[in-house]
Structure formats: C-alpha cells, structure tokens
Amino acid sequence: MIDRDRYPVDPWRLVEKSIGLEDFGVTETLFTVGNGYLGMRGNHPEGRHAMEHGTFINGFHETFPIRHAEQAYGFAEVGQTIVNAPDAKVMRVYVDDEPLSLDISDIREYERVLDMRDGVLRRHVLWVTPAGKEVRIDFARMVSFEEKHLAVMTVDVTVLNADAPVTVNCQLVNRQDGEDVYGGFPVAPKKAGFDPRKAEQIAERVLQPQEYWQQGARTVLSYLTTESRMSLAVVADHIIETDNTYTSRTLIEPDIAKNVFRVQAKAGVPIRVTKLVSYHTSRGVPARELVDRCRRTLDRASEEGVQTHFERQRAWLDAFWERSDVRIAGHDDVQQAARWCLFQLAQAAARADGRGVSAKGVSGSGYGGHYFWDTEIFVLPFFTYTTPLWARNALRMRELMLPAARRRAHQLNEAGALFPWRTINGEEASAYYAAGTAQYHINADVSFALAKYVRATGDDDFLYRNGVDVAVETARLWATLGFWRDVDGEEVFHIHGVTGPDEYTTVVNDNLFTNVMARFNLRFAARTVREMEQIDGEVYRRMVDRLQLDPGEPEAWDRAADAMHIPFSDALSIHPQDEVFLEREVWDLENTPAEQRPLLLHFHPLVIYRYQVLKQADVVLALFLQGNHFTPSEKLADFEYYDPLTTGDSTLSLVVQAILAAEVGYQDLALKYFTESLFVDLGDLHHNTSDGVHVASAGGVWTALVSGFGGLRDYFGDLTFDPRLPASWPELSFPVHWRGTRLQVTITARELRVRAGEGDAVEFGVRGTSYTVQGGSEVVVPLADQGPTIQGRPTLGQFARARREDGTLLSASVPTTTTIPIVEPDA
C-alpha cells in the first residue's frame, strides 16, 4: 500500500528518501504541519511545483450565494469555503544566482522527515550546482502547539567546497487571489471532472488588502474577506545568523512581500535564516488590531528564543504521546501508520479552541473546510479518552451554533434545533438537501458525543451548564419530526423523510440508524433534565427558564423513545436499513468494473438510489454505537447481509466494518479492513489525499484499535472489554482516561492487564465479569481466547434463494441492460 523504498519503515517518523515529481498533492498532505488553528501543507520551500500551495486557518472562510437550478423554500442559500491564507512558506535559495529547483537541479542527497516526536518537518538536500559547487541545505518547519498563532521556519545553507554568492529569498504571497511571481510555471496537474469532495472555487477577489508595510526585518500583510468580512493579519520576522558578510533588501506590495538576504559565502561557513511567522484572524476585529496581536506574538517569541519553541514543541508532544500512544508490538509498519494517524488528529484539533474540526483539518481545502458529523462520531472518541479538554472544546463549538440551529429547525417546521449537515459558521452549506440537510441524524450524533464525553469524564458541570441546551433542543426536534401510528392497537413512533449515514440511499422512512440514535437522544435528554432537578435545583430552574422547558417534555421524550419503530425483516432475519430498502434490487459489487468506482462519480444519483448498495456502513454503524440494543446473532446476521453491499466509497466505512467484523468473528477480514483504513492517506487509496488528510478516518483508526481489537465498550457509562487481538499481533497496549484516572490497557493472546495511574479506583468488566483496579495498582485478567473466529468473508452468494417479505427472490445486477442471477458459491 506504500512504496517502502521511498518511504521506509520508521515507528516514529514519516521519511521520504526520494523526490516525487508526479504526486506533489499527496506529499503536500502527508507532510503537513499544523496545530488545529493553523496548518501549512508540505510544500517545498522553493514555492514552485505544487498542486496546492496551501496555508489554512481553521474557520477562516469566505461566503458566496448558492445558485440552485431550481430554487425551493428552505434550500441552503449561502455557501462557505475555507480561504487559502497568505503563504509564508517560501524560502528560496540561489547559489551563483542559480536557483535550487528540485525538478532540474543535480540533487545528490535528499531526505524529508516528519518527526512525530518533536512535530517538526525537516528536509535535507545536497545540491551540486552547474559550476560544481556542493551545497548542503537543511530546512525545518514547525507550527507550534504551545503558541497557537506561531510558525517557525529555518533554512541552513553551507557551500562546502568553494566560495560563492548565496541568496535567500523569503516571501509572503497571497495565493488565494492568484498572485505569484511564478504564476506561469507548470504545476502538478489537477484532475478534471466533477467531484463533490473538492472545495468550491470563487472567481472574484476574496482577500481585500488592508494594512501592509515593512520595518527592518519585519513584514506585515493584512486583509478583509470580501463577503464574510473576516479579517486576517500575517506578520513575519526574519533573522540571519552567519559569519559571512551580507546585505538585505525588502519589497512590499499588497499581495507579495520579500525579505532578501545576499550573502558572500565562504567555503564551509554556514548561513542560517530563521523566519518567525504569526497569523491572527477574527470575525469582527479590524485588521489593524490583528496586526498588533501578531506583533506581540512575535515579540514574545523573539524574547524567548527560537530554540525554546522547538524544545517546548518536543515537551508538548512527549505529554501527548504519553496519554495517547497506541503500541502495536512486532509491527513497526503498522505502528508508524497508526502514529501518523494519531498525530494528524492532534494537528487537526489541538488548538481548535472552540472551533470545529473540519473533514480535512487544516491540511487541505477538501470539502471546503466544512465541519460534519465526522467530528462527533469518529474523532471525539479519541479526544474523550485521551485529552478530554479537546472534546469539550469541540462540543462547545456545537453549543455556540445553537442559535443558527434553532433558526434552521424553525425554517424546516420543527421545534428545537437542527444542526447543519455541513458548515463552518453554523449555517447549513449543503446545496444538495437529499444527501445533506436530510441527514437529521447529526442531531443525535452531537448528543451522543456529549453523553459519551460526560460519562467518560464525569464532567457533569459542563453537561448541566452548557451541554443540556444541546440535549434538550435536539430531543425537541425528534419529538416534532416523528409521528405516531396505531398498529394493531399499539402506538408506534416513526421518523420519515430522512437520510442515514449511507448517502447512496436518501430521503427514506424509518432509517434504522436514525431511529436508534434518535431514541438514544430522547432518553439522554429526559434523563439529564431529571438528574439536574434532583442534584442541583438552582441550575435546573435556570435551565427551565432559559429553555422554557415544559415539565411534561421529558415524559413525552421517553414515551417516543420507548415506542420508536425499529425495522426488522422476519423473512431475512435482519434489520432493514430503512422501511423499503429490501424492496430494491441488489447492486452486484463483485462484478462492477473497477473503473466505475467510486459510484458517485460514474452513476447518476437516481440510478444508485434504486439499488441496495451502500456508500458507507449504516446499520453496521448502529450495531457498534448502540450495540447494547442488539443481540450477537442479530449483529452477525446484519453484518453478513450488509458487508457485501458496502462499496467503501467513503473512508468512514472501513473502520466501522473492521470493528464489527472483529466483534462477530471475521477476524482476518477485520484486520484487512483496518489495514486499508490505516493507509487511506499514506497509500492514497481513494486517490484524493491531495485534497487533505481524511481526519475522520484517522480518528476511526484509533477506535478500530481500541474498540475493535481492544474490545472497549462503555454502554450506559459502564467500562468493559472483550478483546479481539489479531493472531499475528503479540501485544496491543493503549491508555484510556476514565473519570480522572489514567488506565494503561495491555492485551496479549492470553491475558488483559489494566494498570491504573494515580486517582480513584475504576470498575470495569471483561466478558461478563466485574473487576476493580485501585489507583497505582494493576489487575490481570486471563483470557481463554480472542473471541469467535469465522473464516473468509460474506459474499453475494448468501442471497441465493433468499426471498423478501413478499416472497420475491433477491437478484443482483450492475446498472446495465443485463441482470446477473445470484448463484450458490459452489455452483
């Protein structure tokens, strides 16, 4: 899945040993450095060959009118897209006025390294110029985790065998609006054609210049976005250290600034240029004030010293890995990829500080920088169990979106609040309602993540003062969205006209995932307000006044939850994905040509919607998140039915399928799915890594390790383990933070060990038996096995002679003129 000659195995570093000129976009993503607020793609400092010279700031966006071919009431009206911030990465080197250019220069040594222990991107080059001069160039780039608004870059140049004039040209460039002195230079080609995963492009000017000036080695650019009226400032300081003689020159224009150092280099005498850069953004502060903030950031950074920031970065990451690292014994290749994924989560969210975590973090412009349900379901579990503060900050973002969510619910004729399917500023930005707005399940996903956070941390204060508003308002929406039907004298609660996680099946009735998650949402809200009334009457009364809560609402929520319709097919002994899913024809994925994948790029949505085919796990995800409501036999039957129908066109599927495959017994298949998820970006398996890191998939990797192979569950706030260690893995070890106590869980083929740090005792269960580990002690639990084992994988052959409720046979086909009958596997 990855070229090991180019990217050798190293458990703590991603190392590139040779230059690739054909996949700049992928490597720009893989070597991104960021901190959750600021991200700098792994562009080479020469600032030339690139798919996207990207610098992104979380939440910094432009708006534009969404133009629908046919307008209707309630359609999203204003789109949002992340803005490419001014690029400060350029530090260009010339020797004898010859530029270092990776495509044509004589490069004798090359190595690029992203070190996940110190959070620094480094590149080493030995360049021989046309005149035969050997030049060693070492570059480093760091976006600080400690100093949210600070990036540090250095370039070290030494001419080894001769004297020579050396120039280092440092630049700030507004690439968002097309300004680039090398604008006509060939760049890596962008793929043509329709792809909804790409960011929206705005033809008009986005960044309007405000204040720009230079003073000595300090350079200032600032802007105001044209429509969203967000402000941005970037300020850079430049420091040169050398025993050679040198001069410096500057240039400042609205969209480009240069600080140029001309050095008369002596053989063997090094030159170091350091660039300290600060970015600040705001939704309402004038650019001039942001310039002042940048100046203060840089003044402080200079006073503390550049080396101090590198040392603090290492100390920050030491602490991160101590509370987060998942260790996989005996497989350094898996270990390397797993750590890269966890490191990407830190880079996507550590300093988001109340902003959301976008689908690409700050590593690229894919999906326009939007926040999705990915955060709550696939990313927050890692935060909750390793760094709860990050989870709290992400949940706080949803609380801040409540006013817009209330307006959206009202617009769609519902009570409470409806969180947007995709957004940056809190407003719905999805132009295609069928696969966007109709995914009401996001309400339950947010409430689910809130409940998991509170139960794992014991942070009732956050729940009662902040989170309860989210729980109540999301529950209110289900109460009005759903409706009652009398079925044979029994009242049943239904939810119609929604889309589940599977975007290949839209606007359906009683989507199973939506219904089981809505049931959880309703019960959680009812339980929360009752507990508040008992525990803290004053906080409860303030909440009642603030939300105008009717005393009868909790009872109504519980009643709806208890009566929620959960589809089940007696004929097939499975849970249908929705009320009519099984009436559709089966898509024969096994005989679908590879060149027609992913389906969304090769078939009209209406074609896809007519078939039983999944973009991503839907029922299977419900089996994991709400597994306590399904029996083992139901999970096995559902998994075997849906697995052959799942395309994996979404990177969110692999991790979910891995978890359930491990639980029900398809352990080899689980490892296969996990390995694919592990290399989604490192191997560019979906051919769109160039648009940015698949952050949710990276989060899912942690969940697959800890919940899939480690068997962690916490239904009703009870911590349990039922391990499924792969047969080829000697040991799996990971930390879990549970209500203030850190646990180190280690699993081997024959035992599970839980070692507790300082803190309160923790109760946990292993396969039905309860244990308690005291703070500072260890409990060892013998394991007879690693659960059931089923060979192979489910196939379409299982559908042979299977009949629907109406007695008709299932048949499989690809949307052509030919129908392919299902046959027995041995036929």
Side-chain angles (χ1 to χ4, degrees):
M1 294 187 184
I2 186 171
D3 181 354
R4 286 303 181 185
D5 290 329
R6 184 178 175 189
Y7 301 103
V9 173
D10 186 313
W12 280 108
R13 305 184 306 159
L14 179 64
V15 181
E16 182 185 45
K17 301 295 288 185
S18 60
I19 303 167
L21 298 177
E22 70 291 337
D23 62 350
F24 280 117
V26 173
T27 58
E28 288 161 21
T29 293
L30 299 186
F31 289 98
T32 292
V33 288
N35 63 9
Y37 170 75
L38 170 65
M40 293 181 161
R41 283 171 64 80
N43 305 108
H44 289 287
E46 291 72 40
R48 295 178 185 172
H49 312 281
M51 191 206 85
E52 182 172 39
H53 291 283
T55 299
F56 298 104
I57 296 175
N58 192 347
F60 186 64
H61 69 279
E62 178 63 308
T63 57
F64 57 91
I66 297 175
R67 305 192 186 281
H68 300 275
E70 296 184 23
Q71 184 70 42
Y73 176 80
F75 279 14
E77 297 177 352
V78 180
Q80 307 140 40
T81 188
I82 196 166
V83 172
N84 195 352
D87 183 7
K89 298 188 298 293
V90 179
M91 300 181 76
R92 195 168 290 145
V93 175
Y94 301 80
V95 176
D96 289 331
D97 296 327
E98 292 283 346
L100 172 62
S101 185
L102 297 181
D103 61 329
I104 59 174
S105 294
D106 183 1
I107 306 297
R108 301 294 177 86
E109 295 176 7
Y110 173 89
E111 183 180 76
R112 181 161 51 163
V113 177
L114 178 62
D115 194 317
M116 295 172 281
R117 292 166 299 186
D118 61 16
V120 179
L121 173 65
R122 297 181 176 88
R123 193 195 70 183
H124 166 75
V125 168
L126 180 61
W127 168 36
V128 177
T129 72
K133 295 176 181 177
E134 298 178 1
V135 188
R136 184 177 64 227
I137 303 174
D138 291 289
F139 172 79
R141 180 186 299 152
M142 178 189 76
V143 173
S144 173
F145 286 110
E146 283 279 0
E147 284 283 352
K148 171 180 175 178
H149 300 279
L150 179 67
V152 182
M153 288 160 275
T154 64
V155 61
D156 291 273
V157 184
T158 305
V159 184
L160 300 175
N161 62 345
D163 297 346
V166 173
T167 299
V168 179
N169 184 341
C170 300
Q171 298 182 13
L172 300 180
V173 185
N174 172 19
R175 298 186 187 275
Q176 171 66 48
D177 294 304
E179 297 293 336
D180 188 352
V181 293
Y182 285 90
F185 199 88
V187 298
K190 293 186 178 181
K191 296 178 181 178
F194 162 77
D195 190 337
R197 300 166 296 187
K198 300 287 186 180
E200 298 83 359
Q201 300 295 318
I202 299 176
E204 297 79 15
R205 186 176 179 95
V206 172
L207 296 175
Q208 302 294 338
Q210 302 295 295
E211 183 175 334
Y212 54 97
W213 50 264
Q214 288 177 320
Q215 186 176 56
R218 176 164 288 181
T219 296
V220 173
L221 295 178
S222 63
Y223 300 89
L224 186 70
T225 55
T226 302
E227 298 297 334
S228 67
R229 311 306 287 174
M230 293 191 71
S231 50
L232 172 146
V234 54
V235 180
D237 280 351
H238 303 79
I239 304 167
I240 182 168
E241 300 171 84
T242 183
D243 289 333
N244 298 297
T245 58
Y246 69 89
T247 60
S248 61
R249 296 192 178 186
T250 61
L251 176 145
I252 185 73
E253 296 176 0
D255 289 316
I256 189 168
K258 298 181 181 181
N259 287 75
V260 183
F261 299 94
R262 299 177 176 180
V263 184
Q264 295 300 318
K266 299 295 184 181
V269 179
I271 305 158
R272 166 170 287 192
V273 175
T274 300
K275 192 175 189 179
L276 299 168
V277 184
S278 178
Y279 289 85
H280 280 263
T281 56
S282 174
R283 294 190 180 186
V285 171
R288 173 161 292 184
E289 180 177 332
L290 297 185
V291 170
D292 290 341
R293 294 181 187 180
C294 289
R295 295 167 71 184
R296 290 196 294 270
T297 298
L298 294 185
D299 289 345
R300 183 171 61 252
S302 297
E303 290 171 4
E304 293 169 339
V306 173
Q307 185 58 33
T308 298
H309 293 286
F310 284 98
E311 292 169 357
R312 288 179 179 172
Q313 186 87 335
R314 177 60 185 248
W316 191 98
L317 281 162
D318 285 345
F320 168 76
W321 289 116
E322 183 179 2
R323 65 180 184 269
S324 310
D325 191 24
V326 179
R327 297 195 293 274
I328 301 131
H331 294 274
D332 282 352
D333 56 338
V334 176
Q335 185 71 77
Q336 178 189 38
R339 283 184 174 137
W340 185 88
C341 289
L342 300 189
F343 184 66
Q344 297 311 312
L345 295 173
Q347 293 202 132
R351 300 310 308 272
D353 294 357
R355 292 174 175 83
V357 180
S358 83
K360 299 297 183 181
V362 285
S363 67
S365 62
Y367 291 109
H370 292 164
Y371 314 140
F372 293 82
W373 69 301
D374 306 20
T375 302
E376 282 75 21
I377 297 302
F378 295 94
V379 178
L380 254 65
F382 171 68
F383 298 162
T384 294
Y385 298 110
T386 61
T387 312
L389 176 63
W390 298 357
R392 181 178 175 135
N393 284 340
L395 290 167
R396 172 76 173 143
M397 177 270 295
R398 291 299 187 185
E399 181 199 359
L400 295 173
M401 286 185 178
L402 268 175
R406 290 186 179 106
R407 292 192 298 270
R408 185 62 171 162
H410 178 75
Q411 188 177 35
L412 271 68
N413 291 51
E414 307 299 343
L418 175 59
F419 284 106
W421 170 242
R422 58 188 298 172
T423 190
I424 298 176
N425 62 12
E427 303 291 341
E428 178 62 76
S430 175
Y432 185 51
Y433 75 89
T437 297
Q439 296 203 44
Y440 287 80
H441 67 82
I442 190 172
N443 261 27
D445 303 335
V446 172
S447 185
F448 180 82
L450 171 65
K452 288 291 187 181
Y453 165 77
V454 172
R455 290 172 179 176
T457 62
D459 190 357
D460 291 334
D461 180 72
F462 178 78
L463 175 62
Y464 296 157
R465 298 180 187 277
N466 304 84
V468 65
D469 295 43
V470 171
V472 167
E473 295 288 43
T474 52
R476 282 172 165 168
L477 176 125
W478 299 118
T480 60
L481 178 66
F483 62 95
W484 293 89
R485 287 252 175 99
D486 187 293
V487 180
D488 297 328
E490 180 182 358
E491 285 193 314
V492 180
F493 194 75
H494 295 267
I495 299 173
H496 284 188
V498 300
T499 299
D502 171 31
E503 295 168 21
Y504 284 174
T505 313
T506 66
V507 194
V508 298
N509 296 342
D510 290 318
N511 169 256
L512 180 126
F513 178 88
T514 302
N515 284 17
V516 298
M517 293 296 286
R519 179 175 63 184
F520 175 92
N521 193 167
L522 289 161
R523 287 173 173 166
F524 173 65
R527 186 181 308 113
T528 297
V529 296
R530 291 192 183 109
E531 289 175 353
M532 287 179 64
E533 185 176 18
Q534 295 173 358
I535 294 172
D536 194 332
E538 180 58 30
V539 171
Y540 172 77
R541 283 189 291 274
R542 289 200 298 268
M543 179 272 294
V544 169
D545 291 341
R546 183 172 68 250
L547 299 178
Q548 297 183 329
L549 182 73
D550 186 285
E553 285 187 85
E555 181 181 352
W557 297 336
D558 273 337
R559 180 168 165 260
D562 293 341
M564 186 72 68
H565 177 59
I566 306 299
F568 188 79
S569 168
D570 292 321
L572 295 174
S573 297
I574 65 163
H575 292 90
Q577 184 169 298
D578 58 70
E579 202 59 41
V580 299
F581 184 80
L582 300 181
E583 296 177 12
R584 299 181 172 93
E585 294 303 302
V586 175
W587 191 304
D588 188 356
L589 288 177
E590 295 173 9
N591 289 292
T592 301
E595 59 269 19
Q596 291 186 311
R597 309 281 287 271
L599 303 186
L600 80 165
L601 299 186
H602 298 90
F603 295 90
H604 190 283
L606 288 176
V607 175
I608 298 172
Y609 297 163
R610 296 185 185 111
Y611 282 79
Q612 293 185 43
V613 65
L614 282 64
K615 181 183 178 188
Q616 59 202 56
D618 196 305
V619 171
V620 172
L621 180 57
L623 300 177
F624 168 52
L625 299 181
Q626 292 285 278
N628 50 316
H629 294 286
F630 299 90
T631 67
S633 61
E634 288 174 337
K635 292 179 183 179
L636 177 60
D638 287 346
F639 178 80
E640 289 185 330
Y641 188 87
Y642 289 104
D643 193 68
L645 303 179
T646 306
T647 63
D649 288 351
S650 168
T651 59
L652 303 183
S653 264
L654 290 169
V655 290
V656 177
Q657 290 170 278
I659 293 167
L660 256 294
E663 180 176 349
V664 302
Y666 285 96
Q667 297 197 24
D668 290 343
L669 181 60
L671 185 58
K672 175 183 180 296
Y673 282 146
F674 169 75
T675 303
E676 289 180 23
S677 69
L678 199 61
F679 288 94
V680 158
D681 285 318
L682 289 171
D684 191 22
L685 301 187
H686 283 238
H687 310 295
N688 65 345
T689 296
S690 57
D691 296 325
V693 172
H694 291 84
V695 173
S697 180
V701 163
W702 180 89
T703 305
L705 285 165
V706 172
S707 295
F709 301 136
L712 181 149
R713 300 291 189 275
D714 61 349
Y715 302 130
F716 293 118
D718 296 328
L719 184 64
T720 64
F721 299 92
D722 186 2
R724 298 290 191 271
L725 185 70
S728 59
W729 291 12
E731 183 179 285
L732 173 67
S733 184
F734 53 87
V736 173
H737 294 247
W738 187 257
R739 295 172 187 167
T741 301
R742 177 189 164 190
L743 307 176
Q744 188 68 35
V745 181
T746 303
I747 299 166
T748 64
R750 294 301 176 189
E751 68 179 25
L752 179 146
R753 298 194 307 274
V754 178
R755 187 177 71 252
E758 297 303 316
D760 295 335
V762 174
E763 296 180 1
F764 65 95
V766 179
R767 296 177 179 172
T769 302
S770 297
Y771 301 88
T772 300
V773 60
Q774 302 293 330
S777 65
E778 182 178 76
V779 170
V780 179
V781 180
L783 298 174
D785 54 45
Q786 292 295 322
T789 302
I790 303 174
Q791 299 301 319
R793 64 181 303 165
T795 67
L796 289 174
Q798 67 180 304
F799 300 154
R801 294 193 297 275
R803 294 183 182 273
R804 301 179 178 87
E805 303 290 330
D806 62 4
T808 58
L809 283 168
L810 290 175
S811 62
S813 63
V814 179
T816 62
T817 57
T818 304
T819 299
I820 304 170
I822 297 174
V823 297
E824 293 280 7
D826 57 352

